[in-house]
């Protein structure tokens, strides 16, 4: 008889693992004392960019290779906009654009034709277009996963998991540092604004020596502006400086953003291991899946596959760094 | 090598700890290069005093920690940050950075002297990030600084030494003061040049952290500062306009 798998945590890691297990016919229950996906999950605050080629500029090789699997995986589960990513830089930061181009692949250079892609970027003369990339709305993705899992018979328990359970898959994010001492939090701050005057149809990244900013369209004139990356585990609300920097970067792209309505600010800590790559670790009778860092939606599918391979077939994927059982 | 507030450095390379792709790569860069000193920015990473895990990682590097006041624009901010740093890292060392101009990140030397005086009075050992101005340097020494850190070029610009003439003059003017070129280094040749001028150390961050392979670049920087240091001690030849053959040609046997 197939065992019952108990996933702890209903953020992007936990729901993805549950979804992958359920898709392979396993019996799954999900525990999260905080309840359904919401602001208590770090992945609630994410950008939702499926941008393996761009992320590779400052990440290890698995991000590029395994991240490419994410687009199809999410397309089977939620609405994915496949319109690519536009990377741009201000005139005096063009060396950063050249450097970005040198370290990445999968793009074409855009100049005079940039206005055909995104007409509402008056301050920008040059860019790189990563056509194969995509984005999704993280909150919608979480809620779509949640709903479809319920439809597949996965039980959600709004409580702590009982201590005596077998076949536990721990996806608690930073809360799991009681068992994973090499996990750290990397502070990220973001804003959600409404600015119907500006129409952007794909994520735009603005390169800047100090503030790498991205704007992700959420539809209906709503944009997510993110995100800071601060080596701090302070969860207090967004600082004035960060808000100023994020907003002035948006303003530099299009001064009409100056009239935007600020709908939300968000702060959370990304769970990360020292090399900023996720890990699957079998330890004390549990499987831990954690450390998605800034690649929650990009790497959760590969992480979930790795967990399912281990849990169902005892096969080891590359994210497994320790197997002590 | 000169001593920095009574401390001998094993080598003349000081590395910043910001902007690396990951803490793992930061650690490898330090291990591979053997850099003697790690500078740490307290202002951002320290908001709320909660950067614990990251700081632990820096401490685990086992190198000397030089906290800085990066991002401070006023004397008050810088002094507060310095006190926080002393508490967190248990060191009297502080790299004093007082930014006067947002675009060039040029130091505000007037506030710098003032803050240096206050912090020295509070028992700190101040490493001031300054310009190449000799009068300012003199004032910093009078304020109690025993190390000077003039810029090579604006922070993060990677332009190398913008004013080698002034840096040479500074070396000549203060022969006994430990001097560090801080900021503006982009290439190992820049770092070597600073050492060839007789500087005692080089402090850099972006050139390593943002290189495609930070670990390789950290090693290159260490080789460069060592080469420059040895060259300075070896009393290099002066440049000439004309060739001077290393083997005399007159009287050479004629071999047809």
């Amino acid at each position: 008889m197939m065992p019952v798998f108990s996933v702890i945590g209903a953020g992007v890691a936990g729901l993805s693992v549950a979804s992958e297990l359920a898709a392979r016919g396993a019996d799954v229950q999900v525990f999260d004392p905080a309840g359904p996906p919401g602001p208590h999950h770090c992945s609630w605050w994410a950008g939702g960019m499926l941008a393996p080629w761009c992320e590779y500029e400052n990440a290890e090789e698995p991000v590029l290779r395994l991240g490419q699997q994410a687009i199809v995986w999410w397309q089977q589960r939620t609405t994915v906009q496949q319109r690519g990513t536009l990377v741009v830089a201000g005139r005096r930061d063009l060396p950063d654009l050249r450097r970005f181009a040198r370290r990445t692949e999968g793009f074409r250079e855009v100049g005079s034709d940039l206005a055909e892609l995104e007409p509402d970027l008056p301050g920008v003369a040059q860019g790189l277009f990563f056509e194969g990339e995509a984005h999704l709305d993280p909150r919608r993705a979480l809620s779509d996963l949640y709903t479809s899992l319920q439809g597949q018979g996965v039980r959600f328990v709004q409580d702590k998991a009982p201590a005596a359970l077998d076949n536990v898959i721990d996806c608690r994010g930073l809360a799991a540092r009681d068992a994973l001492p090499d996990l750290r939090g990397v502070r990220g701050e973001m804003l959600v604004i409404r600015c119907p005057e500006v129409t952007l149809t794909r994520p735009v990244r603005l390169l800047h020596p100090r503030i790498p900013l991205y704007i992700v369209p959420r539809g209906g004139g709503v944009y997510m502006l993110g995100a800071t990356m601060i080596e701090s585990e302070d969860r207090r609300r967004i600082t004035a400086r960060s808000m100023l920097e994020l907003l002035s970067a948006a303003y530099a792209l299009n001064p009409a953003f100056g009239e935007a309505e600020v709908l939300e600010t968000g702060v959370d800590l990304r769970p990360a291991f020292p090399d900023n790559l996720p890990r699957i670790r079998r330890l004390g009778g549990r499987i831990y899946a954690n450390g998605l860092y800034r690649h929650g939606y990009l790497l959760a599918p590969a992480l979930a596959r790795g967990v399912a391979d281990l849990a169902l077939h005892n096969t080891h994927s590359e994210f497994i760094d320790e197997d002590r059982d | 090598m000169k001593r920095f507030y009574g401390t001998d450095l094993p080598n003349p390379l000081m590395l910043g700890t910001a902007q690396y792709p990951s803490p793992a790569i930061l650690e490898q860069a330090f291990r591979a290069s053997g850099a003697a000193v790690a500078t740490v920015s307290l202002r951002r990473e320290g908001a709320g005093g909660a950067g614990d895990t990251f700081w632990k990682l820096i401490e685990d590097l086992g190198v000397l920690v030089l906290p800085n006041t990066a991002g401070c624009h006023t004397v008050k901010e810088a002094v507060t940050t310095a006190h926080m740093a002393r508490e967190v890292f248990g060191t009297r060392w502080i790299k004093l950075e007082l930014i006067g101009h947002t675009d060039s990140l040029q130091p505000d030397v007037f506030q710098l002297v003032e803050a240096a005086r206050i912090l020295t009075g509070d028992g700190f050992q101040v490493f001031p990030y300054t310009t190449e101005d000799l009068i300012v340097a003199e004032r910093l020494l009078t304020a109690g600084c025993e190390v000077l850190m003039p810029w090579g070029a604006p922070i993060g610009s990677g332009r190398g030494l913008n004013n080698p003439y002034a840096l040479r003059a500074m070396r000549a003017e203060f022969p006994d003061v430990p001097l560090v070129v801080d900021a503006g280094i982009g290439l190992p040749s820049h770092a070597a040049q600073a050492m060839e001028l007789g500087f005692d150390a080089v402090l850099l961050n972006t050139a390593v952290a943002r290189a495609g392979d930070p670990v390789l670049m950290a090693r290159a920087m260490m080789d460069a500062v060592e080469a420059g240091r040895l060259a300075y001690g070896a009393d290099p030849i002066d440049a000439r306009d004309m060739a001077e053959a290393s083997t005399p040609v007159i009287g050479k046997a004629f071999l047809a």
Side-chain angles (χ1 to χ4, degrees):
Chain A
M1 204 189 94
M2 192 93 149
V4 178
F5 290 99
S6 298
V7 175
I8 310 181
V12 70
L15 293 185
S16 299
V17 165
S19 174
E20 185 67 27
L21 286 170
R24 300 193 195 182
D27 193 358
V28 184
Q29 52 185 351
V30 179
F31 292 86
D32 194 325
H40 41 271
H41 293 119
C42 173
S43 40
W44 186 257
W45 305 104
M49 289 181 297
L50 303 175
W53 288 276
C54 282
E55 287 298 317
Y56 183 49
E57 188 261 337
N58 200 27
E60 306 277 339
E61 184 275 339
V63 173
L64 175 64
R65 182 165 37 86
L66 299 173
Q68 290 178 43
Q69 308 172 0
I71 297 174
V72 174
W73 196 91
W74 284 109
Q75 274 169 341
Q76 292 160 356
R77 289 161 173 87
T78 188
T79 309
V80 174
Q81 307 287 334
Q82 196 155 9
R83 298 189 50 80
T85 305
L86 194 58
V87 178
V88 300
R91 210 160 275 116
R92 66 181 198 174
D93 295 323
L94 289 178
D96 292 303
L97 195 67
R98 287 197 292 274
R99 177 178 171 282
F100 198 94
R102 216 165 54 229
R103 301 223 178 130
T104 51
E105 53 188 79
F107 62 85
R108 66 178 167 88
E109 293 186 25
V110 285
S112 52
D113 50 340
L114 195 143
E116 291 161 29
L117 283 171
E118 293 293 348
D120 274 0
L121 291 174
V124 178
Q126 277 184 54
L128 309 171
F129 182 43
F130 292 79
E131 203 158 8
E133 297 191 336
H135 67 284
L136 50 75
D137 178 341
R139 297 176 187 181
R140 182 163 175 191
L142 292 175
S143 120
D144 285 349
L145 268 187
Y146 182 72
T147 313
S148 78
L149 285 170
Q150 282 180 315
Q152 291 166 70
V154 171
R155 295 173 302 284
F156 283 85
V157 185
Q158 187 171 351
D159 204 350
K160 284 191 164 180
L165 281 177
D166 288 326
N167 300 306
V168 169
I169 298 155
D170 187 318
C171 304
R172 285 179 294 147
L174 198 57
R177 68 197 304 184
D178 52 4
L180 308 171
D182 48 346
L183 203 60
R184 76 185 196 287
V186 180
R187 178 177 160 98
E189 300 158 311
M190 58 83 94
L191 295 161
V192 181
I193 61 174
R194 177 159 40 220
C195 190
E197 274 180 71
V198 180
T199 304
L200 298 177
T201 64
R202 52 177 64 79
V204 177
R205 292 176 180 236
L206 176 65
L207 302 182
H208 182 285
R210 291 195 307 279
I211 329 149
L213 165 117
Y214 53 81
I215 299 186
V216 189
R218 290 273 194 261
V222 174
Y223 296 92
M224 183 269 188
L225 253 65
T228 56
M229 302 269 292
I230 303 174
E231 288 290 350
S232 163
E233 293 172 350
D234 183 352
R235 282 182 193 269
R236 286 181 302 177
R237 272 172 285 192
I238 188 168
T239 62
R241 179 207 293 237
S242 294
M243 199 188 297
L244 195 65
E245 287 178 345
L246 292 173
L247 286 173
S248 39
Y251 186 79
L253 285 178
N254 191 331
F257 276 122
E259 299 304 316
E261 179 186 359
V262 178
L263 299 179
E264 249 186 275
T265 67
V267 174
D268 215 327
L269 306 182
R270 309 170 178 94
F273 288 107
D275 59 0
N276 293 340
L277 285 175
R279 294 274 192 292
I280 299 167
R281 198 172 283 178
R282 194 144 63 171
L283 186 66
R286 284 189 177 190
I287 294 174
Y288 291 87
N290 214 318
L292 284 168
Y293 181 54
R294 57 178 274 144
H295 302 127
Y297 294 84
L298 188 62
L299 292 184
L303 188 74
R305 283 191 177 124
V307 169
D309 288 345
L310 182 66
L312 298 173
H313 313 295
N314 206 24
T315 41
H316 281 205
S317 73
E318 63 186 281
F319 284 146
I320 296 175
D321 71 333
E322 279 179 60
D323 193 343
R324 298 188 193 167
D325 291 347
Chain B
M1 225 169 114
K2 293 192 187 65
R3 309 187 82 199
F4 292 76
Y5 290 103
T7 300
D8 286 313
L9 302 187
N11 61 62
L13 185 60
M14 303 181 173
L15 284 183
T17 55
Q19 296 182 309
Y20 288 80
S22 70
I25 290 178
L26 184 159
E27 188 191 344
Q28 288 166 33
F30 270 86
R31 301 237 185 272
S33 67
V37 175
T39 62
V40 196
S41 159
L42 212 77
R43 199 171 152 65
R44 286 309 294 271
E45 276 81 16
D52 343 318
T53 320
F54 187 71
W55 291 337
K56 171 117 195 358
L57 197 138
I58 303 290
E59 281 176 338
D60 288 350
L61 292 173
V63 300
L64 292 158
V65 174
L66 174 60
N68 66 37
T69 63
C72 290
H73 288 74
T74 65
V75 172
K76 192 178 163 193
E77 273 182 298
V79 169
T80 310
T81 306
H83 279 270
M84 272 170 56
R86 184 160 66 179
E87 237 168 78
V88 170
F89 288 104
T91 173
R92 294 160 68 197
W93 282 14
I94 187 78
K95 177 189 154 184
L96 184 59
E97 197 176 309
L98 260 154
I99 299 305
H101 186 244
T102 320
D103 276 6
S104 66
L105 301 178
Q106 177 166 347
D108 178 335
V109 294
F110 301 94
Q111 294 204 81
L112 184 68
V113 172
E114 170 69 6
R117 193 184 52 74
I118 295 171
L119 288 172
T120 305
D122 290 346
F124 284 92
Q125 295 172 330
V126 178
F127 294 62
Y129 168 60
T130 182
T131 66
E132 61 279 81
D133 189 300
L134 294 182
I135 313 304
V136 173
E138 187 67 56
R139 294 288 166 91
L140 286 166
L141 296 175
T142 310
C145 297
E146 294 176 20
V147 173
L148 294 170
M149 304 216 292
W151 63 352
I155 296 172
S157 66
R159 300 183 59 82
L161 309 185
N162 266 351
N163 194 348
Y165 153 75
L167 295 174
R168 191 179 289 116
M170 192 174 234
R171 178 71 290 171
E173 182 74 11
F174 306 108
D176 303 319
V177 177
L179 297 180
V180 184
V181 165
D182 177 6
I185 301 293
L187 291 169
S189 52
H190 302 151
Q193 190 191 3
M195 297 304 293
E196 287 164 14
L197 291 175
F199 273 66
D200 300 287
V202 171
L203 198 171
L204 56 101
N205 187 350
T206 312
V208 165
R210 301 288 282 161
D213 186 337
V215 180
L216 206 55
M217 188 58 89
R219 283 178 48 200
M221 288 295 182
M222 178 57 89
D223 286 353
V225 292
E226 284 295 353
R229 187 177 65 88
L230 292 174
Y232 179 69
D235 187 15
I237 60 159
D238 294 308
R240 308 170 57 94
D241 290 337
M242 288 297 170
E244 185 191 13
S246 51
T247 312
V249 277
I250 296 169
K252 203 174 174 186
F254 182 73
L255 304 169

